[in-house]
């Protein structure tokens, strides 16, 4: 082992204060040797003035003669724990501290053999003008920290890399491709963003444990399609991303996307449940679709949005026009948020006519947006966006309050029908309070308000929705099932709650070249409604031929352009008056 006072200085050799005290005081020498750090002092020429016993243990230095001066490199080169590269780094750190007349801290990695080791080095300047270096092996700490970092970079549910690690690897891959020239002519690394279709329905209907199990199976299937160099990550709730090394031909990326859609679209068996979902994929490739990670990821996200708009369970490559559409959509979103505050929305009302009496019995309230620059924006252009960005709830609440107030000015027998979005049923208690307050504030009797809902409302949180519907029914409010026959399980939904009215979707009313088939469907719906004590109303009636067919099949009421287009609130009174006049004239002629 090294002497506890190494080396023994000659008559004219300088001696550090620490070295002199250690050699002169046995108790101080024992204290220094008992330290948990390997310790040595040295001068400007890197000659060692003192070394404690722990240094030899820490750095695995063999016994050396203590009767001559030794240099720092000479001692460290005999270490079995340090490689030549590590010795070089220690020497450079000590020289840097001398040059700066200060200190230095660093971790010295020793990467050799089967295992890597790490030593913490700290160099400090002493008061007498010499320097002290301390060594501590921190392999266990470094390994634990690296393990913690590794865990923090992975999704705990699936074990896949998370968003942060995916970001780092994508940045590195794009930078490497740009540097070595492989990302030429659009053949650089590619990003595939994968979003699961119908995953939320699985969580809502079967519960989060099944949803979690499904995500783990999805991760397993994605691993099965990986090729050498591919990186797959979970970057969100039901969102995954795939980083693909440079692929020369887009057709190869298309085949990969097709393979993923096919694999993820196959049935899953989870806890006795047969689960079916799909996957939509957006594909972007550098440098054609962007040079940096952020640009490529944004392009892939726009392509994913296009895939979802195209019907889901498919894939889409980024195209430049998608960017223009995204900018237009963003502008529309900004205008939509502003419109609610500036009161640019208005309600138009379409009459509903009883076929038995030929009288208007009510109106459906239909939302319109009068944009200062775009004019009257069709609902199909902004309702889906309002639902997506979370504006549909406050917008729907405004519609309900406004419609109730308007209906109080109509003849007592007339009702108003209001569509309620499925998003409003996410908080059923809030919806029930809204209806109660709207009726109270307007003074409209509950039986003159009709709430229209689609079948999809009953598919989620069914018990909570049924409870809310019964609460509304207790206020006298009537219920209508909208778009009947176009949803998931119409008949079972009719039996789950006693609706007052069934609305026959316009797709069964318009002329499609199959008059006999359409008549049979309408006949079946009206017969079903009659057997359950529910009225039926057909929407979208535009011609006298359609009206005759509807009347012949037993439908109780209709609405459509044949009678009137939706009109602003200030034209409702005139419409009621004109319709009553036509009815009176018809009765007189009869």
């Amino acid at each position: 082992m090294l002497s506890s006072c190494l080396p023994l200085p000659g008559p004219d050799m300088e001696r550090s204060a620490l070295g002199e005290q250690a050699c002169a005081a046995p108790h101080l020498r024992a204290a220094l040797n008992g330290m948990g750090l390997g310790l040595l002092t040295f001068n400007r020429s890197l000659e060692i003035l003192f070394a404690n016993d722990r240094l030899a243990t820490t750095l695995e230095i063999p016994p050396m003669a203590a009767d001559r001066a030794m240099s720092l490199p000479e001692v460290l080169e005999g270490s079995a724990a340090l490689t030549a590269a590590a010795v070089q780094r220690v020497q450079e750190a000590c020289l840097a501290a001398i040059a700066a007349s200060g200190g230095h801290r660093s971790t010295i990695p020793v990467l050799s053999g089967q295992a890597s080791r790490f030593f913490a080095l700290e160099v400090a300047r002493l008061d007498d003008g010499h320097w002290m270096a301390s060594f501590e092996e921190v392999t266990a700490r470094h390994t634990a920290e690296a393990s913690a970092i590794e865990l923090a970079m992975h999704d705990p549910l699936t074990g896949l890399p998370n968003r942060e690690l995916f970001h780092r690897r994508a940045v590195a891959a794009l930078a490497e491709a740009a540097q070595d020239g492989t990302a030429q002519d659009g053949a650089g690394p590619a990003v595939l963003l994968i979003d699961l279709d119908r995953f939320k329905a699985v969580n809502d209907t079967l519960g989060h444990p099944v949803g979690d199990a499904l995500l783990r199976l999805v991760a397993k299937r994605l691993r099965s399609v990986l090729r050498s160099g591919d990186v797959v990550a979970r970057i969100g709730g039901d969102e995954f991303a795939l980083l693909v090394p440079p692929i020369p031909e887009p057709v190869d990326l298309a085949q990969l996307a097709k393979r993923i859609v096919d694999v993820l679209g196959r049935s899953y068996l989870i806890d006795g449940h047969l689960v079916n979902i799909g996957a939509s994929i957006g594909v972007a490739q550098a440098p054609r679709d962007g040079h940096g990670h952020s640009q490529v990821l944004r392009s892939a996200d726009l392509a994913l949005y296009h895939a979802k708009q195209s019907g889901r369970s498919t894939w889409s490559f980024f195209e430049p026009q998608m960017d223009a559409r995204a900018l237009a959509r963003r502008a529309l979103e900004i205008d939509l948020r502003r419109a609610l505050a500036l009161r640019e929305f208005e309600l138009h009302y379409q009459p509903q006519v009883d076929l038995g009496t030929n009288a208007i019995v009510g109106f459906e309230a239909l939302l319109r947006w009068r944009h200062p620059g775009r004019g009257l924006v069709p609902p199909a252009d902004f309702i889906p966006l309002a639902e997506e960005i979370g504006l549909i709830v406050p917008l729907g609440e405004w519609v309900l309050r406004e419609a109730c107030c308007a209906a109080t000015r109509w003849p007592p027998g007339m009702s108003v029908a209001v569509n309620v979005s499925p998003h409003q049923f996410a908080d059923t208690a809030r919806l029930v309070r809204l209806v109660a307050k709207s009726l109270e504030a307007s003074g409209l009797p509950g039986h003159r308000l009709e709430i229209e809902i689609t079948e999809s409302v009953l598919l989620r949180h069914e018990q909570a929705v049924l409870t809310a519907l019964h609460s509304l029914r207790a206020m006298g409010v009537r219920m209508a099932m909208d778009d009947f026959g176009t949803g998931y399980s119409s008949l079972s939904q009719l039996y789950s709650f006693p609706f007052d009215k069934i609305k026959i979707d316009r797709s069964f009313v318009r002329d499609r070249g199959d008059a006999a088939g359409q008549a049979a469907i309408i006949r079946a719906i009206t017969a079903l409604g009659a057997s359950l004590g529910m009225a039926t109303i057909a929407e979208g009636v535009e011609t006298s031929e359609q009206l005759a067919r509807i009347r012949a099949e037993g439908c109780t009421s209709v609405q459509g352009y044949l009678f009137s287009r939706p009109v602003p609130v200030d034209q409702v009174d005139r419409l009621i008056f004109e319709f009553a006049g036509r009815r009176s004239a018809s009765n007189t002629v009869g």
Side-chain angles (χ1 to χ4, degrees):
M1 299 292 290
L2 285 175
S3 167
S4 60
C5 189
L6 172 70
L8 295 175
D12 55 352
M13 179 179 174
E14 59 182 331
R15 180 192 298 267
S16 73
L18 180 58
E20 181 177 347
Q21 293 178 29
C23 293
H27 65 279
L28 180 57
R29 182 168 61 248
L32 293 173
N33 285 331
M35 291 181 64
L37 303 176
L39 189 70
L40 62 82
T41 61
F42 59 93
N43 62 16
R44 184 177 294 273
S45 301
L46 296 185
E47 292 176 321
I48 295 179
L49 308 177
F50 167 79
N52 69 351
D53 287 346
R54 187 68 180 182
L55 181 72
T57 304
T58 301
L59 299 184
E60 300 178 21
I61 299 174
M64 291 185 180
D67 57 353
R68 64 183 179 85
M70 299 183 69
S71 67
L72 179 67
E74 184 181 2
V75 171
L76 296 182
E77 285 169 2
S79 168
L82 300 180
T83 61
V87 171
Q88 181 67 25
R89 289 192 60 175
V90 173
Q91 184 173 339
E92 290 172 353
C94 292
L95 290 174
I98 291 173
S101 296
H104 181 91
R105 291 184 179 181
S106 64
T107 298
I108 307 297
V110 181
L111 310 176
S112 63
Q114 297 298 317
S116 299
R117 300 175 68 180
F118 297 86
F119 295 88
L121 167 68
E122 183 170 358
V123 183
R125 190 174 188 277
L126 300 174
D127 291 340
D128 62 358
H130 298 137
W131 283 265
M132 178 175 67
S134 63
F135 297 83
E136 178 185 11
E137 182 166 4
V138 292
T139 302
R141 184 198 314 164
H142 189 277
T143 302
E145 291 175 351
S147 178
I149 293 174
E150 181 73 7
L151 287 173
M153 291 292 180
H154 284 75
D155 171 47
L157 179 64
T158 63
L160 295 178
N162 61 13
R163 179 183 290 273
E164 176 62 24
L165 183 54
F166 183 82
H167 169 79
R168 294 186 181 189
R169 292 186 178 177
V171 168
L174 291 168
E176 181 181 354
Q179 186 174 9
D180 63 21
T182 58
Q184 299 299 323
D185 302 322
V191 171
L192 284 73
L193 287 186
I194 306 163
D195 188 85
L196 302 183
D197 302 327
R198 302 184 298 278
F199 176 77
K200 189 176 187 304
V202 174
N203 261 348
D204 290 343
T205 57
L206 300 179
H208 289 280
V210 172
D212 289 347
L214 176 59
L215 290 173
R216 286 191 289 266
L217 289 177
V218 167
K220 182 178 180 180
R221 292 189 184 184
L222 285 174
R223 289 191 187 99
S224 72
V225 302
L226 290 185
R227 303 157 309 154
S228 176
D230 292 347
V231 177
V232 64
R234 182 187 177 205
I235 60 174
D238 61 344
E239 295 178 305
F240 296 81
L242 185 63
L243 175 66
V244 180
I247 294 181
E249 298 296 333
V251 66
D252 296 329
L253 279 174
Q255 290 173 352
L256 177 60
K258 181 178 183 299
R259 170 70 173 156
I260 294 173
V261 169
D262 175 62
V263 168
L264 297 186
R266 298 172 186 173
S267 298
Y268 302 79
L269 184 61
I270 305 173
D271 295 339
H273 300 284
L274 192 63
V275 178
N276 290 284
I277 59 170
S280 299
I281 302 177
V283 185
Q285 188 173 21
R288 180 184 58 224
D289 303 327
H291 292 278
H293 167 66
S294 297
Q295 285 184 333
V296 175
L297 196 64
R298 181 177 181 274
S299 296
D301 193 44
L302 291 174
L304 173 62
Y305 181 79
H306 183 266
K308 284 186 167 293
Q309 295 296 105
S310 301
R312 302 174 182 266
S313 293
T314 186
W315 68 93
S316 176
F317 282 79
F318 172 77
E319 296 176 0
Q321 58 265 35
M322 293 179 184
D323 200 16
R325 286 198 294 266
L327 292 176
R329 179 181 176 277
R330 176 58 179 163
L332 184 64
E333 178 183 336
I334 293 173
D335 287 351
L336 188 58
R337 293 184 185 279
R338 184 185 299 118
L340 189 59
L342 297 180
R343 300 179 181 275
E344 294 175 0
F345 294 103
E346 57 188 59
L347 291 182
H348 287 197
Y349 298 88
Q350 187 172 40
Q352 297 177 331
V353 179
D354 183 276
L355 289 180
T357 63
N358 290 325
I360 295 178
V361 292
F363 289 84
E364 180 180 3
L366 299 168
L367 184 63
R368 298 291 185 266
W369 178 14
R370 193 170 296 279
H371 189 280
R374 305 171 189 262
L376 208 59
V377 183
D381 290 351
F382 69 87
I383 292 296
L385 179 59
E387 290 179 334
E388 186 176 332
I389 64 177
L391 280 183
I392 196 64
V393 172
L395 197 52
E397 292 177 348
W398 176 84
V399 168
L400 187 61
R401 289 192 295 265
E402 192 75 8
C404 287
C405 289
T408 58
R409 299 190 290 271
W410 305 339
M414 292 187 181
S415 62
V416 61
V418 178
N419 290 277
V420 175
S421 167
H423 293 269
Q424 292 178 262
F425 277 91
D427 187 346
T428 53
R430 176 175 176 172
L431 177 61
V432 171
R433 289 195 301 270
L434 169 69
V435 172
K437 289 181 179 179
S438 298
L439 293 175
E440 181 182 3
S442 64
L444 185 72
H447 68 272
R448 293 183 60 192
L449 173 63
E450 186 175 278
I451 297 293
E452 295 185 0
I453 67 172
T454 59
E455 302 168 53
S456 60
V457 168
L458 295 174
L459 293 178
R460 298 182 301 168
H461 313 296
E462 184 172 348
Q463 188 53 52
V465 170
L466 291 177
T467 301
L469 294 180
H470 282 292
S471 297
L472 296 177
R473 172 66 63 77
M475 301 178 199
V477 177
R478 295 184 294 167
M479 299 293 159
M481 178 178 281
D482 197 11
D483 300 334
F484 182 78
T486 62
Y488 300 90
S489 50
S490 305
L491 296 180
S492 64
Q493 303 308 330
L494 284 180
Y495 282 106
S496 68
F497 180 81
F499 287 89
D500 297 283
K501 183 185 292 185
I502 303 173
K503 291 198 76 174
I504 301 175
D505 187 70
R506 66 183 64 246
S507 62
F508 300 121
V509 175
R510 72 168 65 100
D511 298 318
R512 297 185 302 182
D514 182 22
Q518 289 178 267
I521 293 175
I522 296 172
R523 188 183 315 123
I525 295 175
T526 55
L528 177 65
S531 66
L532 297 176
M534 302 176 187
T536 50
I537 178 171
E539 59 181 349
V541 178
E542 299 180 358
T543 67
S544 56
E545 291 78 13
Q546 292 172 352
L547 176 62
R549 187 166 64 244
I550 293 295
R551 190 190 296 273
E553 300 306 334
C555 199
T556 55
S557 56
V558 294
Q559 70 181 81
Y561 287 179
L562 179 62
F563 301 96
S564 173
R565 290 177 175 271
V567 299
V569 66
D570 57 3
Q571 297 181 25
V572 169
D573 289 342
R574 179 177 60 82
L575 184 62
I576 294 174
F577 178 78
E578 291 177 353
F579 202 94
R582 290 199 300 268
R583 177 167 173 262
S584 177
S586 175
N587 291 338
T588 301
V589 172

